[in-house]
Amino acid sequence: MSATVKSGQETEQRRTKGARRGRRAGAARRTRTVRTKGGLSLRLEPRALWTGLLLLALALAAGVALIGSGDYPMTPAEVIATLTGGGDAGRQFVVQDLRLPRVLVGLLVGAAFGIAGAVFQTVSRNPLGSPDVLGFAQGSSVGALVVIVFFQGGGFAVAAGAVVGGLVTGLGIFLLAWQRGIHGYRFVLVGIGAGAMLYAMVLYLLTKANIVEATRATTWMTGSLNGRDWSQVWPPAAVCAVLVPLLLCHGRALRMLEMGDDAAAALGVRVGRVRVVVLIAAVVLVSVATAAAGPISFVALSAPQLARRLTGSPGPNLLPSALMGAALLVAADWSSQRLFGADQLPVGVLTGVLGGGYLLWLLATERRAGRI
C-alpha cells in the first residue's frame, strides 16, 4: 500500500512539474525580448501589442464617425478628406472648429481616466479601486459647484475649481490613509468614506443654489462633451503629454507592486516613492479630465479591466487601459448621438448606465471567486 501511495505521489509531482513547465513555456511564447546595441532590453508581448494597435484603430475610427455625426452628416471619406486639407470652407469650419475639438477632448479625457483607473486598481490591488469609487470625482464636483454656486464663475473658473477640488481631495485621502505608507485596502476604505461625505456636500450645495445655478450645476455633473472648443483641448493635452509618459516609465515598478510590498522591495523597487509619485500623477490626470468634461463615470473603472481581459497579460496594462478608455468614451458619445439625436443625451448618462451594469457584473464575479 505504501508503495502505491508513493507511486501516486511521484506521479502527481511529475504532473505538477509538467504543468509548471507548460505555463513557463506558454509565457515564453507570449513574450519576446528585444535587445538593442546599447545593452537595453525591451519585453514585447505580441498579444498585448496587437490589442493596443486594435484599440488605437477603434478609437480613431470612433473619432472619425463622431466627427461625421450631427445635423450636418458626413461620410468617413469626407471627414478624412477634410482633416487632410480638402473640402470647402463650410465643411472645414464644421470639422475643424466645431467637431474636432470635441473628439480630441473625448480621446484625451478617456485616455486620462483609463490610465488613472489602472494606476488606482494596481496600487490598491482591488478591481473596484477607481476614481468613481474612491471619491476623487466627487471632490472635483464639490470644487466646481463651489465656484458655480458662490462665485457664479465662468467655464475657466469652474474648470479650475474642479482641479483644485480633486487635488485637495487627493491630499486629504492620502493623509488619512497614510500609516508608514499608503496601503491598498486602507486607501480604498478611506476613499469610499470620503466619497460619501463629498457626495453629501454636493447635495448641500445644490440646495443652496438658485434655479439657474442648480440647472447649470446639474448639467455639468452629468458629464458631457457638448460645446467643447480648442481652449478646452490644450490643458488635458499638456497634462497627458507630461504625466502619461511618466506613468509608463513606472510600469515595471507597478507590475512589481502587484506582488506585494516586500517582494517589490526585494526586487529593488522604492515602494513608498513609487506609490506616491504614481498616485499624485493619477489624481492630477483625473482632476484635469473631470475639469474638461465633467465627472464622467465608470470609464476609469471598466477600461483597465476590459484592457486586461483583452491583452491576457498580467500587470497594470497602462497603455492598453489608456487606449481602451479613449475608445470607450468616444464610442459612447457617438452612440448617444446616434441613438438619441445630436446633443440630446450627455455621454456621462450613457456611461453611467452601462458602467452600473458592468459594476454589478464585476461584484457578482468577485463574490463568486470569494474575493469579496
Side-chain angles (χ1 to χ4, degrees), residues 93-362:
F93 173 76
V94 170
V95 172
Q96 301 287 351
D97 296 336
L98 299 181
R99 296 181 181 175
L100 183 58
R102 174 178 185 152
V103 172
L104 292 178
V105 170
L107 291 172
L108 292 168
V109 168
F113 279 137
I115 196 170
V119 169
F120 283 122
Q121 292 176 15
T122 301
V123 171
S124 63
R125 295 199 289 273
N126 191 323
L128 299 177
S130 77
D132 312 291
V133 179
L134 300 181
F136 295 98
Q138 292 86 339
S140 295
S141 298
V142 170
L145 291 185
V146 167
V147 174
I148 293 174
V149 174
F150 294 111
F151 300 100
Q152 293 78 42
F156 179 80
V158 171
V163 172
V164 172
L167 295 178
V168 171
T169 300
L171 178 62
I173 293 175
F174 289 162
L175 293 177
L176 291 173
W178 186 275
Q179 185 176 350
R180 295 190 299 274
I182 298 176
H183 301 282
Y185 284 103
R186 187 186 308 117
F187 182 65
V188 171
L189 292 175
V190 171
I192 291 174
M197 291 188 292
L198 290 168
Y199 182 70
M201 292 182 63
V202 168
L203 297 179
Y204 169 75
L205 289 171
L206 289 176
T207 62
K208 298 292 292 183
N210 58 41
I211 186 64
V212 176
E213 295 166 350
T215 301
R216 183 184 175 198
T218 303
T219 301
W220 184 87
M221 288 180 58
T222 57
S224 175
L225 299 176
N226 297 343
R228 296 301 179 265
D229 56 29
W230 284 104
S231 66
Q232 294 161 303
V233 173
W234 304 120
V239 171
C240 287
V242 174
L243 296 184
V244 170
L246 174 66
L247 291 175
L248 293 178
C249 291
H250 286 80
R252 179 181 178 276
L254 285 171
R255 183 184 289 236
M256 299 299 105
L257 283 179
E258 285 192 331
M259 299 187 299
D261 291 355
D262 294 336
L267 292 170
V269 177
R270 300 174 63 180
V271 175
R273 176 183 175 277
V274 169
R275 185 176 282 120
V276 170
V277 169
V278 298
L279 284 177
I280 291 175
V283 169
V284 174
L285 281 171
V286 170
S287 301
V288 173
T290 303
I296 297 176
S297 57
F298 291 113
V299 174
L301 174 68
S302 57
Q305 295 297 313
L306 294 175
R308 178 173 293 193
R309 283 169 170 78
L310 287 177
T311 60
S313 174
N317 288 279
L318 296 178
L319 187 57
S321 297
L323 295 173
M324 176 62 77
L328 281 178
L329 185 54
V330 176
D333 195 31
W334 175 80
S335 300
S336 67
Q337 289 201 33
R338 297 289 296 179
L339 294 175
F340 301 95
D343 301 337
Q344 295 298 313
L345 182 70
V347 65
V349 177
L350 185 59
T351 59
V353 172
L354 298 178
Y358 175 80
L359 177 60
L360 293 176
W361 175 84
L362 182 61

